[in-house]
Amino acid sequence: MAIRYRCRHCETEIGRLPFGSADEARTLLRLGEEEAEEFILEGEDGDATVQCICKDCEQSLDRFPDYYSLQKWLQ
Ligand SMILES: [Zn+2]
C-alpha cells in the first residue's frame, strides 16, 4: 500500500510514500472525516491518493487568487 500525493489541478504526481493507507494519510494531514473524503481518494488496491497542489499551480494561485477563490487548499 502507498500514499500518493497528486496535484488536483494538473494531476502531476508530487510525491509518494511507499507505505501507508488512506487512514494514515488522514492522520498525517490531521484531516477530519469530511475533509478526508474530499482530499483523499482510496484506490481499490488500498492505495491512497492525496489531492494537493504542486508548486506550479501554487504560483498560479498566488498570481490569480480570484480564479481559485472558491477552492479550499492544503498547504
Ligand atoms: Zn499542479
Side-chain angles (χ1 to χ4, degrees):
M1 297 198 289
I3 302 174
R4 278 187 292 268
Y5 291 87
R6 197 180 62 184
C7 178
R8 63 191 293 163
H9 297 287
C10 63
E11 308 214 331
T12 296
E13 189 171 301
I14 299 164
R16 173 195 293 257
L17 295 174
F19 52 86
S21 62
D23 277 349
E24 286 184 47
R26 184 165 79 83
T27 307
L28 278 172
L29 298 168
R30 298 198 197 98
L31 295 176
E33 297 277 349
E34 280 182 25
E35 290 169 312
E37 275 182 28
E38 187 178 346
F39 289 113
I40 301 174
L41 306 174
E42 199 165 1
E44 287 175 14
D45 51 5
D47 284 2
T49 300
V50 178
Q51 303 190 91
C52 43
I53 184 168
C54 70
K55 285 270 181 282
D56 288 345
C57 292
E58 195 173 17
Q59 283 170 9
S60 305
L61 174 66
D62 283 344
R63 250 173 271 152
F64 310 107
D66 290 348
Y67 182 72
Y68 296 104
S69 61
L70 296 178
Q71 303 270 6
K72 224 168 108 185
W73 302 102
L74 290 177
Q75 292 296 321

